[in-house]
Amino acid sequence: MENTFKGITDPFVLKNGVRIPCVGLGTFKLTNDAEGVQVIESAIVDCGYRHIDTAAAYKNEASVGKAVKASGVPREKLFVTTKVWNVDRGYSQARQAFDLSLERLGLDYVDLLLIHWPATQKHYMRWEQVNIDTWRALSEIYAAGKAKAIGVANFKPSHLEALMDEEIQPMVDQIEFHPGYYPKETAEFCRENGILVEAWSPLGRGKVLESPVLEKIAAAHKKSTAQVALRWILQHDALPLPKTTHLERMEENADIFGFTLTPAEMKAIDEMPETGYTGQDPDTVDF
């Protein structure tokens, strides 16, 4: 499909009108120290990133907050996401956890707040109610203006359905999504319900970069396999969140707008064999 984005700050528009830059910087495994601050600051200042994705579980929210301030970019020009971790499910726990996240970030608000993983029947008899209770905490945070948008991560349609009856519905679902792992059912459910899909591990933990399918397409466009993978995600109307600590790779990951994959190329990538999948099924994970 045709994509009109011209740069990483061009926005998707969420169902509540909030604008979210179409490529974000993932920070999973990024350190919570001066080095981590420098990586994020360089992404903002040197590479033009305006969308930073973190989580309480990453234990680097403080680095994100410091980098946001050090960058000199006005706060309203940046988009910061964090997430409520699994041990903080439930109404009161989620409210308290968010307050601690905001304190670590050193910010007055976040742009997007997500439930990191769904409660499921593996851990809870009343798992749907646990998700609803957590969601109601996020809805109150949103109503208070402390989060400009709210959503979920790693939710399948079976987990999302209970939230679709709530007054405020999820605006984002951040899921594993990359060449070699195309969660079509979830992506289609989200599209039908106006939920933006964000793609974590968009390069399949690096394992898709040597795919013969991607190598052939990359050669045709004079691009890298990473750029083709990220472009494929964008052309599925999903938002990629590549992570790297290397400046040159940040720049490469941002340079995905001068070409368009053909329908045949999109289909070839759609049909790639499973590659780079983490195996983290929300219904079976043990964390």
Side-chain angles (χ1 to χ4, degrees), residues 226-256:
Q227 289 168 321
V228 168
L230 298 174
R231 182 73 201 179
W232 173 80
I233 291 167
L234 266 187
Q235 287 186 221
H236 271 302
D237 288 329
L239 190 159
L241 297 165
K243 63 182 179 67
T244 179
T245 59
H246 302 286
L247 188 63
E248 65 276 11
R249 288 184 190 151
M250 285 182 199
E251 292 171 340
E252 178 182 301
N253 293 341
D255 183 21
I256 56 173

Side-chain angles (χ1 to χ4, degrees), residues 15 75 126 247:
K15 64 171 73 175
R75 172 67 185 92
R126 298 174 65 248
L247 188 63

Side-chain angles (χ1 to χ4, degrees), residues 213-229 231 252 255-261 265:
V213 174
L214 294 188
E215 286 178 339
K216 181 179 179 181
I217 295 170
H221 291 279
K222 295 183 171 56
K223 291 288 181 179
S224 70
T225 50
Q227 289 168 321
V228 168
R231 182 73 201 179
E252 178 182 301
D255 183 21
I256 56 173
F257 302 95
F259 70 108
T260 301
L261 301 176
E265 290 168 338

Side-chain angles (χ1 to χ4, degrees), residues 58-287:
Y58 300 171
K59 300 189 183 304
N60 60 18
E61 289 171 310
S63 284
V64 171
K66 289 173 184 174
V68 164
K69 287 184 171 61
S71 73
V73 175
R75 172 67 185 92
E76 65 273 14
K77 301 288 188 185
L78 295 168
F79 194 100
V80 178
T81 299
T82 196
K83 311 177 190 77
V84 174
W85 185 236
N86 301 351
V87 294
D88 296 313
R89 295 184 180 113
Y91 174 79
S92 60
Q93 298 96 313
R95 289 296 305 259
Q96 292 168 10
F98 173 70
D99 288 341
L100 289 172
S101 282
L102 215 53
E103 186 177 318
R104 288 189 292 266
L105 286 161
L107 302 176
D108 296 327
Y109 68 92
V110 295
D111 298 275
L112 178 61
L113 178 64
L114 306 177
I115 301 174
H116 207 149
W117 288 84
T120 68
Q121 58 190 352
K122 181 178 173 72
H123 298 113
Y124 300 90
M125 287 186 64
R126 298 174 65 248
W127 62 272
E128 287 182 310
Q129 189 60 47
V130 172
N131 285 330
I132 289 170
D133 290 345
T134 310
W135 183 250
R136 288 180 177 167
L138 267 65
S139 297
E140 287 191 7
I141 291 165
Y142 171 69
K146 294 292 188 179
K148 302 300 183 184
I150 52 176
V152 297
N154 302 298
F155 276 53
K156 295 178 178 179
S158 58
H159 311 126
L160 282 163
E161 282 164 358
L163 303 185
M164 301 313 295
D165 293 329
E166 293 295 299
E167 181 179 355
I168 300 170
Q169 296 180 348
M171 301 161 194
V172 168
D173 190 3
Q174 185 179 126
I175 58 177
E176 182 172 0
F177 188 129
H178 53 78
Y181 186 72
Y182 177 25
K184 193 171 184 180
E185 181 187 2
T186 300
E188 288 181 351
F189 181 93
C190 288
R191 187 176 299 113
E192 289 166 3
N193 288 279
I195 300 170
L196 174 67
V197 170
E198 292 187 329
W200 63 260
S201 193
L203 303 179
R205 298 177 294 157
K207 299 195 186 307
V208 305
L209 300 183
E210 295 179 4
S211 158
V213 174
L214 294 188
E215 286 178 339
K216 181 179 179 181
I217 295 170
H221 291 279
K222 295 183 171 56
K223 291 288 181 179
S224 70
T225 50
Q227 289 168 321
V228 168
L230 298 174
R231 182 73 201 179
W232 173 80
I233 291 167
L234 266 187
Q235 287 186 221
H236 271 302
D237 288 329
L239 190 159
L241 297 165
K243 63 182 179 67
T244 179
T245 59
H246 302 286
L247 188 63
E248 65 276 11
R249 288 184 190 151
M250 285 182 199
E251 292 171 340
E252 178 182 301
N253 293 341
D255 183 21
I256 56 173
F257 302 95
F259 70 108
T260 301
L261 301 176
T262 67
E265 290 168 338
M266 291 292 291
K267 184 172 185 289
I269 300 172
D270 289 354
E271 295 174 352
M272 277 175 53
E274 186 175 292
T275 309
Y277 175 47
T278 63
Q280 293 181 344
D281 185 326
D283 286 318
T284 60
V285 293
D286 58 1
F287 48 79

